[in-house]
Short mmCIF file of all heavy atoms in Angstrom, two decimals:
data_model
loop_
_atom_site.label_atom_id
_atom_site.label_comp_id
_atom_site.label_asym_id
_atom_site.label_seq_id
_atom_site.Cartn_x
_atom_site.Cartn_y
_atom_site.Cartn_z
N MET A 596 -5.79 -16.02 -11.85
CA MET A 596 -6.32 -14.68 -11.78
C MET A 596 -6.12 -14.15 -10.36
O MET A 596 -6.43 -14.77 -9.45
CB MET A 596 -7.82 -14.63 -12.08
CG MET A 596 -8.17 -14.96 -13.55
SD MET A 596 -7.80 -13.69 -14.67
CE MET A 596 -9.18 -12.56 -14.28
N GLY A 597 -5.68 -12.93 -10.28
CA GLY A 597 -5.52 -12.33 -8.97
C GLY A 597 -5.38 -10.85 -9.09
O GLY A 597 -5.12 -10.33 -10.21
N PHE A 598 -5.50 -10.19 -7.96
CA PHE A 598 -5.34 -8.78 -7.93
C PHE A 598 -3.83 -8.44 -7.80
O PHE A 598 -3.13 -9.14 -7.11
CB PHE A 598 -6.03 -8.16 -6.69
CG PHE A 598 -7.50 -8.26 -6.88
CD1 PHE A 598 -8.21 -9.29 -6.20
CD2 PHE A 598 -8.24 -7.33 -7.60
CE1 PHE A 598 -9.59 -9.37 -6.31
CE2 PHE A 598 -9.61 -7.42 -7.73
CZ PHE A 598 -10.29 -8.41 -7.08
N LEU A 599 -3.43 -7.41 -8.47
CA LEU A 599 -2.09 -6.91 -8.20
C LEU A 599 -2.18 -5.85 -7.12
O LEU A 599 -3.01 -5.02 -7.13
CB LEU A 599 -1.52 -6.33 -9.52
CG LEU A 599 -1.21 -7.34 -10.65
CD1 LEU A 599 -0.65 -6.59 -11.87
CD2 LEU A 599 -0.18 -8.39 -10.17
N ILE A 600 -1.24 -5.98 -6.19
CA ILE A 600 -1.20 -5.10 -5.07
C ILE A 600 -0.13 -4.04 -5.32
O ILE A 600 1.04 -4.41 -5.63
CB ILE A 600 -0.82 -5.82 -3.77
CG1 ILE A 600 -1.68 -7.11 -3.59
CG2 ILE A 600 -0.89 -4.90 -2.55
CD1 ILE A 600 -3.08 -6.90 -3.18
N GLU A 601 -0.49 -2.78 -5.15
CA GLU A 601 0.57 -1.74 -5.36
C GLU A 601 1.20 -1.40 -4.01
O GLU A 601 0.49 -1.18 -3.05
CB GLU A 601 -0.12 -0.47 -5.95
CG GLU A 601 0.90 0.53 -6.40
CD GLU A 601 0.29 1.70 -7.12
OE1 GLU A 601 -0.13 2.66 -6.45
OE2 GLU A 601 0.15 1.66 -8.36
N GLU A 602 2.50 -1.47 -3.97
CA GLU A 602 3.20 -1.22 -2.78
C GLU A 602 4.31 -0.15 -3.05
O GLU A 602 4.80 -0.12 -4.21
CB GLU A 602 3.95 -2.48 -2.28
CG GLU A 602 3.05 -3.48 -1.63
CD GLU A 602 2.75 -3.18 -0.19
OE1 GLU A 602 3.46 -2.38 0.38
OE2 GLU A 602 1.83 -3.76 0.33
N THR A 603 4.58 0.58 -2.06
CA THR A 603 5.74 1.56 -2.20
C THR A 603 6.89 1.03 -1.36
O THR A 603 6.78 0.68 -0.23
CB THR A 603 5.34 2.92 -1.70
OG1 THR A 603 4.16 3.37 -2.39
CG2 THR A 603 6.42 3.94 -1.86
N VAL A 604 8.03 0.93 -2.06
CA VAL A 604 9.21 0.49 -1.42
C VAL A 604 10.30 1.59 -1.66
O VAL A 604 10.14 2.48 -2.47
CB VAL A 604 9.71 -0.85 -1.95
CG1 VAL A 604 8.70 -1.93 -1.66
CG2 VAL A 604 10.06 -0.76 -3.41
N TYR A 605 11.40 1.48 -0.89
CA TYR A 605 12.43 2.47 -1.02
C TYR A 605 13.73 1.82 -1.49
O TYR A 605 14.14 0.80 -0.91
CB TYR A 605 12.66 3.23 0.27
CG TYR A 605 11.45 4.08 0.62
CD1 TYR A 605 10.42 3.55 1.41
CD2 TYR A 605 11.30 5.35 0.10
CE1 TYR A 605 9.26 4.28 1.69
CE2 TYR A 605 10.21 6.08 0.38
CZ TYR A 605 9.18 5.54 1.15
OH TYR A 605 8.05 6.29 1.45
N CYS A 606 14.27 2.29 -2.52
CA CYS A 606 15.51 1.74 -3.02
C CYS A 606 16.58 1.72 -2.01
O CYS A 606 16.87 2.73 -1.37
CB CYS A 606 15.97 2.57 -4.30
SG CYS A 606 17.56 2.00 -4.90
N PRO A 607 17.19 0.52 -1.82
CA PRO A 607 18.27 0.42 -0.81
C PRO A 607 19.57 1.13 -1.22
O PRO A 607 20.48 1.37 -0.40
CB PRO A 607 18.57 -1.07 -0.70
CG PRO A 607 18.04 -1.67 -1.98
CD PRO A 607 16.91 -0.77 -2.47
N TYR A 608 19.65 1.51 -2.44
CA TYR A 608 20.86 2.22 -2.93
C TYR A 608 20.70 3.73 -2.90
O TYR A 608 21.51 4.40 -2.33
CB TYR A 608 21.16 1.80 -4.40
CG TYR A 608 21.35 0.30 -4.53
CD1 TYR A 608 20.34 -0.51 -5.00
CD2 TYR A 608 22.58 -0.34 -4.23
CE1 TYR A 608 20.49 -1.84 -5.17
CE2 TYR A 608 22.71 -1.66 -4.40
CZ TYR A 608 21.73 -2.48 -4.85
OH TYR A 608 21.87 -3.78 -5.03
N CYS A 609 19.63 4.19 -3.53
CA CYS A 609 19.50 5.62 -3.68
C CYS A 609 18.34 6.22 -2.84
O CYS A 609 18.21 7.43 -2.77
CB CYS A 609 19.28 6.02 -5.17
SG CYS A 609 17.73 5.45 -5.85
N GLY A 610 17.56 5.38 -2.23
CA GLY A 610 16.52 5.81 -1.32
C GLY A 610 15.28 6.33 -1.99
O GLY A 610 14.37 6.84 -1.33
N GLU A 611 15.21 6.26 -3.27
CA GLU A 611 14.10 6.72 -4.04
C GLU A 611 12.86 5.84 -3.73
O GLU A 611 12.97 4.59 -3.65
CB GLU A 611 14.40 6.66 -5.55
CG GLU A 611 13.37 7.35 -6.42
CD GLU A 611 13.49 8.87 -6.29
OE1 GLU A 611 14.52 9.43 -5.92
OE2 GLU A 611 12.45 9.52 -6.62
N ALA A 612 11.67 6.49 -3.60
CA ALA A 612 10.48 5.72 -3.49
C ALA A 612 10.05 5.17 -4.78
O ALA A 612 9.99 5.86 -5.79
CB ALA A 612 9.34 6.61 -2.88
N LEU A 613 9.72 3.88 -4.78
CA LEU A 613 9.31 3.20 -6.04
C LEU A 613 7.98 2.50 -5.81
O LEU A 613 7.80 1.85 -4.76
CB LEU A 613 10.38 2.13 -6.37
CG LEU A 613 11.88 2.63 -6.53
CD1 LEU A 613 12.77 1.42 -6.60
CD2 LEU A 613 12.01 3.49 -7.78
N GLU A 614 7.14 2.64 -6.74
CA GLU A 614 5.88 1.92 -6.68
C GLU A 614 6.01 0.61 -7.46
O GLU A 614 6.41 0.64 -8.62
CB GLU A 614 4.72 2.77 -7.19
CG GLU A 614 4.45 3.90 -6.23
CD GLU A 614 3.19 4.68 -6.66
OE1 GLU A 614 2.63 4.39 -7.71
OE2 GLU A 614 2.76 5.49 -5.81
N VAL A 615 5.66 -0.50 -6.81
CA VAL A 615 5.84 -1.75 -7.51
C VAL A 615 4.45 -2.45 -7.46
O VAL A 615 3.69 -2.25 -6.51
CB VAL A 615 6.85 -2.65 -6.84
CG1 VAL A 615 8.25 -2.01 -7.11
CG2 VAL A 615 6.60 -2.84 -5.40
N LEU A 616 4.18 -3.25 -8.44
CA LEU A 616 2.99 -4.09 -8.45
C LEU A 616 3.37 -5.51 -8.12
O LEU A 616 4.18 -6.09 -8.71
CB LEU A 616 2.32 -4.04 -9.83
CG LEU A 616 1.69 -2.69 -10.23
CD1 LEU A 616 1.23 -2.72 -11.70
CD2 LEU A 616 0.49 -2.37 -9.39
N ILE A 617 2.69 -6.02 -7.10
CA ILE A 617 2.96 -7.33 -6.57
C ILE A 617 1.79 -8.28 -6.88
O ILE A 617 0.64 -7.97 -6.58
CB ILE A 617 3.24 -7.30 -5.07
CG1 ILE A 617 4.31 -6.26 -4.73
CG2 ILE A 617 3.64 -8.68 -4.52
CD1 ILE A 617 5.64 -6.52 -5.30
N ASP A 618 2.12 -9.39 -7.39
CA ASP A 618 1.08 -10.47 -7.60
C ASP A 618 1.03 -11.28 -6.34
O ASP A 618 2.05 -11.87 -5.92
CB ASP A 618 1.53 -11.35 -8.77
CG ASP A 618 0.48 -12.36 -9.12
OD1 ASP A 618 -0.36 -12.70 -8.25
OD2 ASP A 618 0.47 -12.86 -10.25
N PRO A 619 -0.12 -11.34 -5.63
CA PRO A 619 -0.19 -12.15 -4.37
C PRO A 619 0.26 -13.56 -4.55
O PRO A 619 0.72 -14.21 -3.58
CB PRO A 619 -1.67 -12.07 -4.00
CG PRO A 619 -2.16 -10.82 -4.66
CD PRO A 619 -1.36 -10.68 -5.97
N GLN A 620 0.19 -14.08 -5.71
CA GLN A 620 0.65 -15.44 -5.94
C GLN A 620 2.15 -15.56 -5.91
O GLN A 620 2.70 -16.67 -5.91
CB GLN A 620 0.15 -15.92 -7.31
CG GLN A 620 -1.35 -16.10 -7.37
CD GLN A 620 -1.87 -16.61 -8.69
OE1 GLN A 620 -1.14 -16.59 -9.67
NE2 GLN A 620 -3.12 -17.07 -8.73
N GLU A 621 2.83 -14.44 -5.86
CA GLU A 621 4.29 -14.47 -5.71
C GLU A 621 4.74 -14.51 -4.26
O GLU A 621 5.94 -14.45 -3.98
CB GLU A 621 4.90 -13.21 -6.36
CG GLU A 621 4.74 -13.24 -7.86
CD GLU A 621 5.30 -11.96 -8.55
OE1 GLU A 621 5.47 -10.98 -7.81
OE2 GLU A 621 5.51 -11.99 -9.76
N ALA A 622 3.83 -14.60 -3.31
CA ALA A 622 4.18 -14.59 -1.92
C ALA A 622 5.16 -15.71 -1.63
O ALA A 622 4.98 -16.85 -2.09
CB ALA A 622 2.94 -14.75 -1.05
N GLY A 623 6.19 -15.37 -0.90
CA GLY A 623 7.23 -16.32 -0.54
C GLY A 623 8.34 -16.39 -1.59
O GLY A 623 9.26 -17.20 -1.43
N GLN A 624 8.23 -15.62 -2.60
CA GLN A 624 9.24 -15.64 -3.63
C GLN A 624 10.12 -14.39 -3.54
O GLN A 624 9.78 -13.41 -2.90
CB GLN A 624 8.59 -15.69 -5.01
CG GLN A 624 7.82 -16.95 -5.24
CD GLN A 624 7.28 -17.03 -6.67
OE1 GLN A 624 7.80 -16.39 -7.59
NE2 GLN A 624 6.19 -17.75 -6.79
N GLN A 625 11.22 -14.49 -4.25
CA GLN A 625 12.16 -13.39 -4.37
C GLN A 625 12.35 -13.10 -5.82
O GLN A 625 12.32 -14.04 -6.62
CB GLN A 625 13.50 -13.76 -3.79
CG GLN A 625 13.57 -13.90 -2.34
CD GLN A 625 15.00 -14.11 -1.87
OE1 GLN A 625 15.84 -14.59 -2.59
NE2 GLN A 625 15.26 -13.82 -0.61
N TYR A 626 12.55 -11.84 -6.18
CA TYR A 626 12.92 -11.56 -7.50
C TYR A 626 13.68 -10.27 -7.51
O TYR A 626 13.75 -9.54 -6.56
CB TYR A 626 11.69 -11.47 -8.45
CG TYR A 626 10.73 -10.34 -8.15
CD1 TYR A 626 10.83 -9.15 -8.79
CD2 TYR A 626 9.70 -10.55 -7.23
CE1 TYR A 626 9.95 -8.11 -8.53
CE2 TYR A 626 8.83 -9.49 -6.96
CZ TYR A 626 8.94 -8.31 -7.64
OH TYR A 626 8.07 -7.30 -7.35
N THR A 627 14.41 -10.06 -8.58
CA THR A 627 15.30 -8.96 -8.71
C THR A 627 14.79 -8.03 -9.87
O THR A 627 14.42 -8.52 -10.91
CB THR A 627 16.73 -9.40 -9.02
OG1 THR A 627 17.15 -10.31 -8.04
CG2 THR A 627 17.71 -8.23 -9.07
N GLU A 628 14.79 -6.79 -9.54
CA GLU A 628 14.35 -5.82 -10.56
C GLU A 628 15.25 -4.62 -10.39
O GLU A 628 15.63 -4.18 -9.35
CB GLU A 628 12.93 -5.41 -10.34
CG GLU A 628 12.24 -4.84 -11.56
CD GLU A 628 10.75 -4.79 -11.36
OE1 GLU A 628 10.12 -5.85 -11.22
OE2 GLU A 628 10.18 -3.69 -11.29
N ASP A 629 15.67 -4.02 -11.52
CA ASP A 629 16.52 -2.86 -11.51
C ASP A 629 15.74 -1.64 -11.04
O ASP A 629 14.60 -1.41 -11.45
CB ASP A 629 17.11 -2.59 -12.87
CG ASP A 629 18.13 -3.66 -13.30
OD1 ASP A 629 18.57 -4.39 -12.41
OD2 ASP A 629 18.48 -3.68 -14.49
N CYS A 630 16.46 -0.84 -10.23
CA CYS A 630 15.86 0.46 -9.82
C CYS A 630 15.61 1.29 -11.02
O CYS A 630 16.44 1.39 -11.90
CB CYS A 630 16.79 1.12 -8.85
SG CYS A 630 16.25 2.76 -8.30
N GLN A 631 14.41 1.94 -11.04
CA GLN A 631 14.13 2.83 -12.19
C GLN A 631 14.96 4.10 -12.13
O GLN A 631 15.06 4.78 -13.18
CB GLN A 631 12.65 3.23 -12.10
CG GLN A 631 11.71 1.99 -12.26
CD GLN A 631 10.33 2.28 -11.75
OE1 GLN A 631 9.96 3.41 -11.46
NE2 GLN A 631 9.49 1.27 -11.61
N VAL A 632 15.53 4.38 -11.02
CA VAL A 632 16.27 5.62 -10.92
C VAL A 632 17.81 5.42 -11.08
O VAL A 632 18.45 6.08 -11.88
CB VAL A 632 15.98 6.33 -9.58
CG1 VAL A 632 16.80 7.63 -9.39
CG2 VAL A 632 14.50 6.64 -9.48
N CYS A 633 18.35 4.53 -10.25
CA CYS A 633 19.79 4.34 -10.32
C CYS A 633 20.24 3.06 -11.07
O CYS A 633 21.39 2.78 -11.20
CB CYS A 633 20.40 4.35 -8.86
SG CYS A 633 19.87 2.92 -7.88
N CYS A 634 19.23 2.27 -11.52
CA CYS A 634 19.46 1.11 -12.37
C CYS A 634 20.30 -0.01 -11.71
O CYS A 634 20.85 -0.84 -12.35
CB CYS A 634 20.18 1.55 -13.64
SG CYS A 634 19.16 2.61 -14.63
N LYS A 635 20.31 0.05 -10.39
CA LYS A 635 21.00 -1.11 -9.68
C LYS A 635 19.96 -2.18 -9.33
O LYS A 635 18.79 -1.86 -9.10
CB LYS A 635 21.65 -0.57 -8.41
CG LYS A 635 22.84 0.33 -8.70
CD LYS A 635 23.51 0.83 -7.46
CE LYS A 635 24.71 1.73 -7.77
NZ LYS A 635 25.26 2.34 -6.55
N PRO A 636 20.42 -3.40 -9.19
CA PRO A 636 19.50 -4.51 -8.97
C PRO A 636 19.00 -4.58 -7.55
O PRO A 636 19.80 -4.65 -6.61
CB PRO A 636 20.30 -5.79 -9.34
CG PRO A 636 21.73 -5.41 -9.11
CD PRO A 636 21.81 -3.94 -9.41
N ILE A 637 17.71 -4.49 -7.38
CA ILE A 637 17.05 -4.56 -6.06
C ILE A 637 16.48 -5.92 -5.87
O ILE A 637 15.78 -6.41 -6.78
CB ILE A 637 15.95 -3.46 -5.91
CG1 ILE A 637 16.49 -2.05 -6.21
CG2 ILE A 637 15.34 -3.55 -4.52
CD1 ILE A 637 15.41 -1.07 -6.34
N LEU A 638 16.74 -6.55 -4.72
CA LEU A 638 16.16 -7.85 -4.46
C LEU A 638 14.83 -7.64 -3.70
O LEU A 638 14.85 -7.02 -2.63
CB LEU A 638 17.12 -8.64 -3.59
CG LEU A 638 16.71 -10.12 -3.34
CD1 LEU A 638 16.75 -10.95 -4.63
CD2 LEU A 638 17.68 -10.73 -2.32
N PHE A 639 13.74 -8.08 -4.25
CA PHE A 639 12.40 -8.02 -3.60
C PHE A 639 12.09 -9.30 -2.94
O PHE A 639 12.21 -10.39 -3.53
CB PHE A 639 11.37 -7.69 -4.64
CG PHE A 639 11.42 -6.32 -5.26
CD1 PHE A 639 12.37 -5.99 -6.21
CD2 PHE A 639 10.59 -5.30 -4.82
CE1 PHE A 639 12.44 -4.71 -6.80
CE2 PHE A 639 10.66 -4.05 -5.39
CZ PHE A 639 11.53 -3.76 -6.34
N ASN A 640 11.65 -9.22 -1.74
CA ASN A 640 11.15 -10.42 -0.98
C ASN A 640 9.67 -10.21 -0.80
O ASN A 640 9.28 -9.33 -0.13
CB ASN A 640 11.83 -10.51 0.37
CG ASN A 640 13.26 -10.88 0.26
OD1 ASN A 640 13.67 -11.95 -0.14
ND2 ASN A 640 14.13 -9.89 0.54
N VAL A 641 8.87 -11.07 -1.33
CA VAL A 641 7.44 -10.96 -1.20
C VAL A 641 6.99 -11.95 -0.13
O VAL A 641 7.29 -13.15 -0.18
CB VAL A 641 6.70 -11.29 -2.47
CG1 VAL A 641 5.22 -11.11 -2.31
CG2 VAL A 641 7.25 -10.39 -3.62
N GLY A 642 6.32 -11.44 0.92
CA GLY A 642 5.92 -12.32 1.99
C GLY A 642 4.49 -12.01 2.43
O GLY A 642 3.91 -11.03 1.99
N VAL A 643 4.01 -12.74 3.39
CA VAL A 643 2.66 -12.51 3.94
C VAL A 643 2.87 -12.40 5.46
O VAL A 643 3.46 -13.24 6.08
CB VAL A 643 1.73 -13.69 3.62
CG1 VAL A 643 0.32 -13.39 4.22
CG2 VAL A 643 1.63 -13.86 2.10
N ASP A 644 2.29 -11.37 6.02
CA ASP A 644 2.42 -11.20 7.52
C ASP A 644 1.40 -12.01 8.27
O ASP A 644 0.57 -12.69 7.63
CB ASP A 644 2.41 -9.70 7.82
CG ASP A 644 1.06 -9.05 7.67
OD1 ASP A 644 0.08 -9.77 7.53
OD2 ASP A 644 1.02 -7.83 7.62
N ALA A 645 1.46 -11.87 9.57
CA ALA A 645 0.55 -12.65 10.44
C ALA A 645 -0.93 -12.37 10.17
O ALA A 645 -1.83 -13.21 10.44
CB ALA A 645 0.86 -12.47 11.89
N MET A 646 -1.23 -11.20 9.66
CA MET A 646 -2.61 -10.81 9.32
C MET A 646 -3.05 -11.22 7.97
O MET A 646 -4.17 -10.97 7.58
CB MET A 646 -2.77 -9.29 9.44
CG MET A 646 -2.38 -8.70 10.82
SD MET A 646 -3.50 -9.21 12.09
CE MET A 646 -4.92 -8.20 11.66
N GLY A 647 -2.15 -11.91 7.25
CA GLY A 647 -2.52 -12.32 5.89
C GLY A 647 -2.32 -11.23 4.87
O GLY A 647 -2.71 -11.45 3.69
N ASN A 648 -1.72 -10.17 5.27
CA ASN A 648 -1.47 -9.08 4.29
C ASN A 648 -0.13 -9.28 3.54
O ASN A 648 0.81 -9.74 4.18
CB ASN A 648 -1.43 -7.69 5.04
CG ASN A 648 -2.79 -7.40 5.65
OD1 ASN A 648 -3.82 -7.48 5.04
ND2 ASN A 648 -2.73 -6.97 6.90
N LEU A 649 -0.17 -8.98 2.34
CA LEU A 649 1.03 -9.09 1.56
C LEU A 649 2.04 -8.01 2.00
O LEU A 649 1.64 -6.84 2.21
CB LEU A 649 0.68 -8.90 0.08
CG LEU A 649 1.60 -9.55 -0.90
CD1 LEU A 649 1.51 -11.08 -0.80
CD2 LEU A 649 1.18 -9.15 -2.34
N SER A 650 3.24 -8.40 2.12
CA SER A 650 4.28 -7.40 2.48
C SER A 650 5.47 -7.59 1.57
O SER A 650 5.77 -8.69 1.07
CB SER A 650 4.70 -7.55 3.94
OG SER A 650 5.31 -8.79 4.12
N VAL A 651 6.10 -6.53 1.31
CA VAL A 651 7.26 -6.52 0.46
C VAL A 651 8.45 -5.89 1.10
O VAL A 651 8.32 -4.82 1.72
CB VAL A 651 7.02 -5.75 -0.87
CG1 VAL A 651 8.16 -5.87 -1.81
CG2 VAL A 651 5.73 -6.26 -1.58
N SER A 652 9.57 -6.52 1.12
CA SER A 652 10.76 -5.88 1.64
C SER A 652 11.81 -5.93 0.50
O SER A 652 11.79 -6.77 -0.36
CB SER A 652 11.28 -6.62 2.87
OG SER A 652 11.64 -7.94 2.60
N VAL A 653 12.72 -4.96 0.58
CA VAL A 653 13.72 -4.89 -0.42
C VAL A 653 15.07 -4.87 0.24
O VAL A 653 15.20 -4.50 1.38
CB VAL A 653 13.60 -3.61 -1.28
CG1 VAL A 653 12.29 -3.63 -2.11
CG2 VAL A 653 13.67 -2.34 -0.40
N GLN A 654 16.05 -5.39 -0.46
CA GLN A 654 17.42 -5.30 0.05
C GLN A 654 18.43 -5.18 -1.05
O GLN A 654 18.15 -5.51 -2.22
CB GLN A 654 17.75 -6.49 0.95
CG GLN A 654 17.72 -7.81 0.23
CD GLN A 654 17.85 -8.99 1.24
OE1 GLN A 654 16.98 -9.76 1.41
NE2 GLN A 654 19.00 -9.05 1.90
N ASP A 655 19.56 -4.64 -0.62
CA ASP A 655 20.75 -4.53 -1.45
C ASP A 655 21.09 -5.97 -1.92
O ASP A 655 21.26 -6.84 -1.08
CB ASP A 655 21.82 -3.90 -0.59
CG ASP A 655 23.12 -3.70 -1.29
OD1 ASP A 655 23.42 -4.55 -2.16
OD2 ASP A 655 23.80 -2.74 -0.91
N GLU A 656 21.31 -6.20 -3.16
CA GLU A 656 21.56 -7.53 -3.64
C GLU A 656 22.86 -8.09 -2.99
O GLU A 656 22.92 -9.27 -2.81
CB GLU A 656 21.65 -7.56 -5.16
CG GLU A 656 21.65 -8.94 -5.77
CD GLU A 656 21.78 -8.89 -7.29
OE1 GLU A 656 22.71 -8.26 -7.77
OE2 GLU A 656 20.94 -9.45 -7.89
N ASN A 657 23.78 -7.23 -2.72
CA ASN A 657 25.06 -7.66 -2.21
C ASN A 657 24.95 -8.29 -0.81
O ASN A 657 25.81 -9.02 -0.39
CB ASN A 657 26.05 -6.49 -2.15
CG ASN A 657 26.35 -6.01 -3.57
OD1 ASN A 657 26.40 -6.79 -4.52
ND2 ASN A 657 26.57 -4.69 -3.71
N GLU A 658 23.91 -7.88 -0.03
CA GLU A 658 23.79 -8.37 1.33
C GLU A 658 23.40 -9.86 1.37
O GLU A 658 23.49 -10.51 2.40
CB GLU A 658 22.69 -7.54 2.04
CG GLU A 658 23.16 -6.14 2.34
CD GLU A 658 22.05 -5.35 3.10
OE1 GLU A 658 21.03 -5.96 3.39
OE2 GLU A 658 22.20 -4.15 3.24
N THR A 659 23.00 -10.42 0.28
CA THR A 659 22.55 -11.79 0.34
C THR A 659 23.69 -12.79 0.17
O THR A 659 23.49 -13.94 0.25
CB THR A 659 21.52 -12.03 -0.84
OG1 THR A 659 22.13 -11.79 -2.08
CG2 THR A 659 20.32 -11.16 -0.68
N TYR A 660 24.89 -12.28 -0.12
CA TYR A 660 25.99 -13.16 -0.34
C TYR A 660 27.05 -12.96 0.76
O TYR A 660 27.12 -11.95 1.35
CB TYR A 660 26.62 -12.96 -1.73
CG TYR A 660 25.64 -13.29 -2.78
CD1 TYR A 660 25.06 -12.28 -3.51
CD2 TYR A 660 25.24 -14.61 -3.07
CE1 TYR A 660 24.06 -12.56 -4.47
CE2 TYR A 660 24.31 -14.93 -4.06
CZ TYR A 660 23.73 -13.89 -4.74
OH TYR A 660 22.82 -14.16 -5.71
ZN1 ZN B 1414 17.84 3.37 -6.84
#
């Protein structure tokens, strides 16, 4: 059981603001989800900063290879 955190991220392809729900238990994980606007796969990195706050970064899937 945990709270879902709502975060706003920006699509690396089209720049659209997207609201995503993050499960704190996913910290340290990566997952891919298609942009709701341009339908391209966005890689989400879920992490925790030094303050213990959940943070989400997104990147172009192609940059990982
Ligand atoms: Zn997009």
Side-chain angles (χ1 to χ4, degrees):
M596 293 283 287
F598 293 98
L599 292 178
I600 311 286
E601 192 173 86
E602 285 278 342
T603 300
V604 299
Y605 295 91
C606 176
Y608 303 98
C609 68
E611 190 71 25
L613 305 169
E614 290 187 352
V615 293
L616 290 173
I617 305 299
D618 184 339
Q620 293 181 345
E621 292 178 341
Q624 295 183 25
Q625 291 185 336
Y626 64 96
T627 304
E628 199 167 296
D629 290 346
C630 176
Q631 296 159 13
V632 178
C633 67
C634 299
K635 291 181 179 173
I637 304 169
L638 187 66
F639 290 80
N640 292 288
V641 183
V643 181
D644 69 16
M646 302 294 287
N648 296 313
L649 207 66
S650 65
V651 184
S652 62
V653 294
Q654 63 188 116
D655 181 328
E656 193 181 53
N657 295 327
E658 290 178 7
T659 61
Y660 298 105

